[in-house]
Every structure is written in C-alpha cells, then in structure tokens.
C-alpha cells in the first residue's frame, strides 16, 4: 500500500483526494465569471419566448420566408468568406512557414498589425477608401480612368472584402501551426519516389495541412456567421446577415423575444458547423 | 561497367566545403557505406546522388546515364530516410503503392507489386494499418518496401537504423543485407556508426571534411587503415607515434616516443628515421603466462590500470614501465579467472599484426592539413 501511495498523490497544490480538484479550483474564477456574466444572460435571452410561455417566435424564425432568406444569406456569405480566406490565406501561411527569418518577421507583421487593430477602425478605413468621395474614387477620377464615382460601398463584394480582411488571420494561424510541424522529409521522400511537385502537393502536403485548414475554416465560418460590425457598416442595410437582423429586432423593433429566438437559431447553426468539423477531423487520431 | 559513378563531385555551402572533389564507383549489386562523423559531407553526398542537391562540379552517372541535373522524381532511386518519412495520412499499402501510382502503373500491377513488397519485408497482413499503429521496426520495413517496390536502379539508405534499439537494429541490419543481396540492389548506405558499416558493407568509403580518406572492403579498412583518422575512427586502436629505427630484410623495428621497440614487417616506401604511426588492434595480442620469458619480439609486461568487463569480452588498460599504455580486449573470463587492477599482465603480438602508417600521410595531424586526392585505395 505504501509503495503505491506516492504515485497517487497527484494534483499538486490543492488536490490530495481527487486528481482533478487542483485544476478545477484554479479554473473556478473564470468559470464563475463566464457563467454569471455570459452563459446565464445569453441563455436567458434565448429563452425569452419560453419565459413568455410561447414557442411561436422559434417557429417563425425557422419558417418565415424572410428569415430563412437571411439565414441562407448568412450561410452564403460565411461560405464565400471562408473560401476566400482559404484561397488567400493558405499561400500566406505557407510563405510564413518557408520564408527566411527576416521575411517571416515582415510577413507576421503584415498579418498581425491589422489583427491587433480594432475592427471598427478597419471597417471605417474601408469606408474611407471605398466611399463615393473615397480615396479610390478620387484617385481614379484624377487619373481619368473613370468619369464619375463608382458605387462601391453597400454591396456584397465590399462586405466580403471587409470580412475577409478581418478574418483571414483566424485562418492563417491554425494553418501555419500545422504547416510548421510538417516534416519536410515527407516532401523530399515523395519527390524521391517519383512525384512531380503538383502531385507532392495534392497527395502529401495538402492532406497533411487539412486539420489546420479545417480548424481555420471552421473558425472563420463560425465567426462570419455571427459577424455584425462589418456587414452592418459596409453593407449599409443592403446585405442582411442574421446578426444585423438580431440587432434590428433588439434596437429598432424592441422585439426581444424574436431576437432571442433568432439568436437561438444562430447558436444552433454554429454548433452544427462546429460538430461537422469535429466529425470531419475524427480520423485525425490515427496519425 | 559500374552502376553508379561519381566523378569530381564538389559542393560548397557558403564558406563551408561540404564535398571536395569526390570520386566513387559502385558495381551492380554492391553495397557501399559512406562512413564519417557528422559534418564529414556524407549526407551531402547522398543528397547529391538522390538529386536533392545539385553539385557545383562533377558528374553523377547512373547506369551510363548522366543524372547530375535530373530532378529527384526522375531518377528512379529508392530512398529510406532516417526517420522513415512514411506518409502518416496513408495506410501502409497506400504508402507502398505511392511510387507505383506516380509511375502510372495499372491497378492490378500495383496490387500485385505492393503485395510482393510487403511480403518481402514480412509485413503481409499490415496493408490496412496506418504508420502510427506500427512499431519502429515495422515502420522501417514499410519504408524499405516503399523504396524497393518500383524496382529502383539504386537504393539509398540514410542512417535508417539510428532510431531502433540495439537488438532490433542488429536484426534489421542483417535483414536489409539479405534483402539487398537477394534482389541484387546496388545500394549506398550512409552512417556514422562504424560497427554498422562493418556489418553491412561490401565496401566502405570513410569520409572526413568532404574528402574520402579511404575506400576499401571492411577488412581492409579495419586491418590496414591508410591514416591516423581512419585507424582512430574505425574500431578501437592502439596508435603509437614513433620512428623507424632499423630495417633488416623484410623486418623493421620502430621506436616509439616512449622508447619502446616494436617489431613489424618492412613496408615499401619507409626508410630508417621516418616518422610513423604504429597500429595494433586491442584483440590481436595474446596473453603470456607469468613464467613465460619476454625475449620474443613484441613481448611486453605491465600493470593493469583499468578493467572494463563487457560480458562477452573484457578490456584492460595496461601501463608498461616506459609509460606506454596499451589497450587489450580479450574474451570475457569466468569468475575464477579474474585479472584484477594492479596485477601484472604479460602479452605478445605478431609483427604481422602491427600495421605501420607513414606519419606524413594525410589526415595525420589533427585537423588534417594537406589534401590528397579522393581515395581509390583498392
């Protein structure tokens, strides 16, 4: 009995009895903080209709033509943003992985600087650039390339541009993390075994980055679905995403029950996407 | 005609000379080991052969075809990497099928060849597993199967046994050697482990600082090293600095710095007064009984300073009265025949077993000064 005792005494500072007690205690302040200030209010908000004794807002949110259209819009935009983040971010992540130290530093600076800048500031910056009397229009007018200002704001491409700009780092970092751990001997081996470069990429390199791509894409997709500031400002009411709609029901129509129902739908959609990603990565354990 | 030949291969990385005009030739079915300490250029050599590095000068010829500038994918060489480099996201069968798929073989042929290769490395039932589900030795076999499945013109092994534990390593070494013999694969094997080199090779190229110090069979390299570096790097050795004292017919005597006189067979190119290194391998001397006279040539007696017991053998460091220390290695003794530290030990060796190396040879001084051409000692 005595011989076994030392092995059982885990959990360090706090835990003698239960092995998980120490970590649990350390996490307690955060858990309480999140429960009281986040989880409880959010759940309360989403359950507002239930508190009123009705399920009708949920049904409406899931069946009303307008709302379905908005939910579909949201998915569509999130999908476009994710695809664009992949197409633009993947090469950047690769560059950061293989670049010599100086260029890697420059690369990280270019990715991180905007990342650390407030979303609001960046979104307003796009408005300054793309506005009717914005930098771009003025420049093109001055160069006589166009003869009257183009309408660039309040359109789908602009919203996508702004969102991709904000969200790309969320794609780049997980992919970079995975790329860094790829054994470049595998690439050498594939080449040595007779694979031309494009097949090395398709058969070996890309599949190995897939876990990073999937987590990055999920992150971007989920964040896109709940995105508010950028679509609200750059979309100017013409591009409606679900978060914008929720805000309107809270602030304009003062219909909190319906806003809560819409939020529940958004949360459910988010969880489904997250679950799909987990399912897609389930095979990861084998290697 | 030789299967693989390298002529005048040179490669620098910035200021560092990795390969200094190296020549090599391999016959069909030959296994050559490139042996050297880290930084000797052996890995660069392998990478040049495989096509991962383009040499600054020189040619690589594979079965009469100049491949110096050819991309690795077009060289038809099978390579086993240090950490095996198995594709973790593919099953064992897919890993082995990979080079065949790259060569656009038919499905039926791929299935047949993969089965053959996996059977050859005795992993018949493992096709559906993933590399992470295999032991180190099994992963090594998969890597080997993948390297031979497409009938390569050359097999390259880059320190493939380093990650295995000792027992498994020896087993795999013998297996690889048998396989290589059976398939008559011309093979270049890179290692820093001299024991491994002796076990596996038909020929060994000992490298240091981008040059080949000596090229020969394992026995030649061990028994007749060409210079101090090779003598020191391969096996254990007693290396005594000294001078040729006298030459009489086919015998000569050498006087060591400590004043001991050693008897050796005369060698061409040496004259009295020449500075030499005398090499005697620790297992060559034989013990003398306490009452044997010490008047035969190369008979010595001294005090045991250190005993290292290794089971199958034991080593003694013996100090002669002159201060000269000799390392001896003999079969391990039973409990009843212990030779303790401090005891007297007498031994003798044949003049034939004393290998004399001219001291002005290269790789002589530490750091090896002047350069000699790349080795073709055989």
């Amino acid at each position: 009995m005595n011989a076994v005792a030392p092995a059982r005494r885990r959990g360090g500072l706090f835990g003698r009895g239960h092995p998980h007690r120490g970590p649990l205690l350390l996490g307690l302040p955060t858990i309480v903080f999140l429960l009281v200030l986040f989880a409880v209010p959010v759940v309360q908000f989403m359950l507002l209709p239930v508190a009123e004794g009705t399920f009708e807002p949920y049904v409406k949110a899931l069946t009303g033509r307008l709302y379905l259209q908005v939910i579909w819009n949201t998915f569509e935009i999130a999908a476009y943003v994710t695809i664009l983040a992949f197409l633009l971010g993947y090469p950047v992540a690769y560059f950061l992985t293989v670049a010599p130290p100086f260029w890697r530093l420059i690369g990280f600076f270019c990715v991180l600087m905007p990342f650390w800048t407030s979303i609001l500031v960046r979104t307003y910056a796009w408005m300054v650039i793309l506005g009717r009397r914005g930098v771009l229009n003025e420049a093109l007018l001055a160069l006589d390339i166009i003869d009257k200002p183009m309408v660039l704001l309040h359109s789908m491409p602009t919203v996508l541009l702004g969102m991709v700009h904000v969200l790309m780092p969320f794609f780049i970092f997980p992919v970079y993390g995975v790329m860094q751990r790829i054994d470049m001997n595998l690439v050498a081996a594939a080449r040595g075994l007779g694979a031309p470069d494009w097949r090395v990429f398709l058969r070996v390199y890309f599949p190995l980055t897939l876990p990073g791509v999937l987590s990055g894409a999920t992150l971007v997709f989920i964040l896109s679905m709940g995105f508010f500031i950028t679509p609200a400002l750059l979309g100017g009411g013409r591009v409606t995403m679900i978060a914008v709609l929720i805000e309107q029901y809270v602030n304009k129509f003062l219909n909190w029950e319906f806003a809560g129902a819409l939020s529940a739908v958004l949360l459910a959609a988010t969880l489904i996407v997250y679950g799909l990603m987990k399912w897609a990565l389930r095979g990861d354990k084998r290697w | 005609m030789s299967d693989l030949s390298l002529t005048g291969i040179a490669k620098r990385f910035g200021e560092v000379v990795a390969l200094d005009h190296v020549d090599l030739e391999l016959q069909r079915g030959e296994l050559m080991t490139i042996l050297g300490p880290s930084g000797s250029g052996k890995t660069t050599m392998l990478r040049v052969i495989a096509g991962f590095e383009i040499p600054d000068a020189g040619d690589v010829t594979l079965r009469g075809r100049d491949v110096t500038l050819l991309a690795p994918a077009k060289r038809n060489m099978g390579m086993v990497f240090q950490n095996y480099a198995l594709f973790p996201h593919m099953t064992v069968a897919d890993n082995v099928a990979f080079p065949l798929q790259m060569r656009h073989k038919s499905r039926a042929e791929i299935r047949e060849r993969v089965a053959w290769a996996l059977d050859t490395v005795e992993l018949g039932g493992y096709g559906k597993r993933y590399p992470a589900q295999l032991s180190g030795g099994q992963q090594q076999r998969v890597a080997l199967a993948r390297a031979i499945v497409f009938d390569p013109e050359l097999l390259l092994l880059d320190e493939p046994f380093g990650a295995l534990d000792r027992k498994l390593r020896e087993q795999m070494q013998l297996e690889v050697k048998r396989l290589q013999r059976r398939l008559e694969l011309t093979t270049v094997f890179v290692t820093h482990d001299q024991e491994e080199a002796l076990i596996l090779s038909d020929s060994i190229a000992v490298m240091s600082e981008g040059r080949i110090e000596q090229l020969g069979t394992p026995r030649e390299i061990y028994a007749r090293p060409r210079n101090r570096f090779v003598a020191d790097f391969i096996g254990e050795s007693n290396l005594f600095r000294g001078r040729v004292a006298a030459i009489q017919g086919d015998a000569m005597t050498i006087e060591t710095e400590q004043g001991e006189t050693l008897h050796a067979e005369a060698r061409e190119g040496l004259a009295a007064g020449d500075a030499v290194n005398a090499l005697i391998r620790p297992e060559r001397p034989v013990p003398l009984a306490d009452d044997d006279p010490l008047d035969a040539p190369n008979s010595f007696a001294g005090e045991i300073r250190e005993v290292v017991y290794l089971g199958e053998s034991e080593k003694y460091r013996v100090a002669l009265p002159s201060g000269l220390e000799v390392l001896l290695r003999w079969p391990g003794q039973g409990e009843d025949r212990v030779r303790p530290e401090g005891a007297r030990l007498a031994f003798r060796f044949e003049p034939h077993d004393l290998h004399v190396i001219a001291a002005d040879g290269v790789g002589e001084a530490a750091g090896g000064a002047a350069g000699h051409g790349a080795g073709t000692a055989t």
Side-chain angles (χ1 to χ4, degrees):
Chain A
M1 192 61 216
N2 265 343
V4 192
R8 291 203 172 175
R9 215 188 272 169
R10 307 181 70 196
L13 225 51
F14 301 95
R16 276 281 156 85
H18 197 276
H20 298 305
R21 199 199 277 170
L24 207 67
L25 275 175
L26 288 171
L28 204 59
T30 315
I31 293 170
V32 170
F33 180 85
L34 283 176
L35 269 178
V36 173
L37 295 174
F38 179 72
V40 171
V42 164
V43 170
Q44 226 171 20
F45 179 63
M46 290 191 303
L47 293 179
L48 274 177
V50 181
E52 303 276 318
T54 172
F55 285 94
E56 196 253 325
Y58 299 116
V59 179
K60 198 171 119 194
L62 282 171
T63 52
R65 237 186 135 63
L66 171 72
Y67 313 117
L68 282 181
Q69 184 60 48
V70 171
I71 291 170
W72 175 247
N73 266 356
T74 307
F75 265 91
E76 208 181 355
I77 289 172
Y80 281 135
V81 170
T82 307
I83 291 168
L84 286 171
F86 165 66
L87 291 177
L88 298 170
Y90 195 88
V92 175
Y94 183 72
F95 171 82
L96 292 177
T97 308
V98 299
F102 174 76
W103 288 105
R104 180 176 309 170
L105 201 72
I106 300 283
F108 264 107
F109 184 78
C110 292
V111 175
L112 282 173
M113 261 326 270
F115 188 64
W116 286 333
T117 312
S118 149
I119 294 182
L120 213 55
V121 170
R122 276 184 288 171
T123 305
Y124 276 120
W126 282 117
M127 293 172 79
V128 169
I129 293 169
L130 300 173
R132 172 170 283 275
R133 303 205 50 88
V135 178
L136 188 64
N137 269 326
E138 293 290 333
L140 291 177
L141 281 172
L143 291 170
D144 275 334
I145 293 169
I146 51 173
D147 47 17
K148 58 181 185 220
M150 295 181 297
V151 181
L152 296 168
L153 285 177
H154 310 322
S155 67
M156 179 86 132
T158 320
V159 172
L160 290 182
L161 179 71
M163 285 176 71
V164 168
H165 178 223
V166 172
L167 292 172
M168 209 155 70
F170 291 97
F171 183 84
I172 291 173
F173 291 132
V175 174
Y176 169 77
V178 169
M179 281 180 175
Q180 249 203 331
R181 276 179 281 129
I182 291 180
D183 177 5
M184 287 312 271
N185 263 340
L186 294 175
V187 171
R191 290 171 65 208
L193 291 167
D197 286 348
W198 65 274
R199 296 191 83 170
V200 175
F201 179 76
L202 285 184
R203 288 290 307 276
V204 178
Y205 195 79
F206 183 68
L208 289 174
T209 58
L210 215 49
V213 169
L214 277 178
S215 23
T218 311
L219 214 55
V220 171
F221 195 88
I222 288 175
L223 288 171
S224 299
M225 283 202 306
F227 230 53
F228 173 69
I229 293 173
T230 307
L233 292 180
L234 293 181
R238 280 183 210 215
V239 181
T240 319
M241 292 182 73
I242 193 162
V244 179
L245 197 64
I246 293 170
E247 188 267 352
Q248 283 176 350
Y249 274 90
V250 170
N251 283 333
K252 257 195 204 149
F253 310 132
L254 299 176
N255 185 348
W256 284 44
E257 288 79 21
F258 194 63
L262 283 173
S263 304
V265 170
L266 175 58
L267 181 67
T270 306
L271 288 176
I272 288 171
V273 171
Y274 182 72
L276 283 176
M277 191 270 295
K278 279 286 167 200
W279 179 76
L281 280 176
R282 81 206 175 285
D284 213 16
K285 303 251 159 35
R286 279 183 311 227
W287 46 279
Chain B
M1 202 185 79
S2 56
D3 230 27
L4 173 75
S5 81
L6 277 70
T7 43
I9 298 290
K11 179 81 190 172
R12 326 169 56 103
F13 296 105
E15 289 297 295
V16 182
V17 178
L19 292 175
D20 186 4
H21 300 91
V22 172
D23 300 299
L24 268 188
E25 289 216 347
L26 269 84
Q27 304 304 318
R28 176 73 50 92
E30 181 179 350
L31 192 154
M32 180 184 285
T33 297
I34 301 174
L35 175 67
S38 57
S40 60
K42 59 185 192 305
T43 301
T44 307
M45 181 111 99
L46 194 74
R47 292 178 62 81
V48 166
I49 297 172
F52 296 126
E53 303 284 355
I54 303 289
D56 300 333
D59 294 311
V60 182
T61 314
L62 182 64
R63 298 199 178 168
R65 188 166 54 118
D66 182 0
V67 297
T68 317
L69 300 174
L70 208 61
K74 295 185 174 154
R75 290 194 184 203
N76 215 23
M77 297 175 180
M79 182 153 171
V80 177
F81 287 79
Q82 205 164 2
N83 55 0
Y84 318 137
L86 296 177
F87 305 128
H89 58 298
M90 296 184 200
T91 62
V92 166
D94 285 342
N95 263 283
V96 179
F98 187 84
L100 299 171
Q101 288 165 351
M102 295 306 125
R103 285 164 177 76
H104 307 288
K105 303 292 184 198
S106 73
R107 262 159 201 264
E109 190 183 346
I110 289 177
R111 204 177 313 121
E112 188 191 322
R113 289 295 295 177
V114 168
W116 168 81
L118 286 177
D119 280 341
T120 304
V121 298
E122 289 166 27
L123 281 179
Y126 289 80
K128 290 209 168 70
R129 301 218 193 165
Y130 283 85
Q133 297 169 314
L134 303 181
S135 70
Q138 289 168 333
Q139 290 184 22
Q140 160 112 73
R141 286 166 207 237
V142 176
L144 198 58
R146 190 177 65 177
I148 61 171
V149 69
F150 57 101
D151 200 11
E153 289 166 60
L154 191 68
L155 181 62
L156 303 173
L157 307 171
D158 183 11
E159 308 221 14
F161 306 111
L164 303 176
D165 63 64
R166 195 182 165 85
K167 268 230 164 79
L168 193 56
R169 195 179 337 165
E170 283 175 11
Q171 185 192 334
M172 284 308 299
Q173 284 162 359
L174 293 175
E175 267 182 47
V176 167
K177 182 160 181 168
R178 264 179 238 133
L179 184 69
Q180 182 264 339
R181 285 267 188 290
R182 186 149 66 84
L183 303 177
E184 284 187 49
L185 288 163
T186 313
T187 304
V188 178
F189 171 53
V190 163
T191 185
H192 64 271
D193 183 332
Q194 43 100 10
E195 198 182 334
E196 205 162 84
L198 294 175
I199 294 174
L200 282 170
S201 319
D202 296 314
S203 55
I204 298 177
V206 184
M207 286 197 73
S208 161
E209 296 178 9
R211 290 185 306 265
I212 293 179
E213 296 290 350
Q214 188 171 0
L215 181 65
T217 67
R219 280 170 206 280
E220 280 168 359
I221 299 261
Y222 184 78
R224 306 259 169 248
R226 190 160 132 178
N227 56 41
R228 231 185 132 87
F229 174 82
V230 176
D232 221 20
F233 192 70
I234 313 277
E236 286 178 309
S237 52
N238 295 293
L239 263 172
F240 308 121
R241 288 176 199 278
R243 295 195 169 276
V244 177
I247 301 183
Q248 290 154 341
D250 53 1
M252 68 178 168
T253 51
I254 288 156
E255 186 159 322
T256 71
E257 285 173 350
Q258 291 83 358
E260 296 283 356
T261 302
L262 305 174
H263 298 263
E265 289 176 348
R267 232 191 71 181
E268 236 173 275
L270 285 178
D274 284 355
V276 291
N277 290 300
L279 167 74
I280 180 78
R281 294 292 184 184
E283 70 278 6
R284 301 315 298 178
V286 293
L288 294 174
D290 282 344
D291 46 0
D292 280 346
L294 292 177
D295 45 13
N298 295 336
S299 298
F300 299 95
E303 184 195 317
I304 299 178
R305 284 284 162 81
E306 194 177 24
V307 180
V308 180
Y309 180 66
L310 295 165
E312 88 279 9
S313 68
E314 51 190 290
K315 296 196 275 195
Y316 312 96
R317 195 159 53 80
V318 177
L320 305 186
S322 64
L324 191 73
E325 288 200 341
V326 183
L327 183 72
L328 301 173
R329 188 176 57 226
W330 288 331
Q333 303 292 318
E335 281 177 83
D336 50 333
R337 295 194 49 199
V338 177
R339 294 191 180 100
E341 284 172 22
R344 177 183 181 273
L345 184 63
F347 60 90
R348 192 176 70 79
F349 54 87
E350 295 295 330
H352 175 76
D353 287 331
L354 191 75
H355 176 59
V356 181
I357 305 164
D360 50 354
V362 193
E364 147 58 18
H372 59 79
T376 31
T378 40

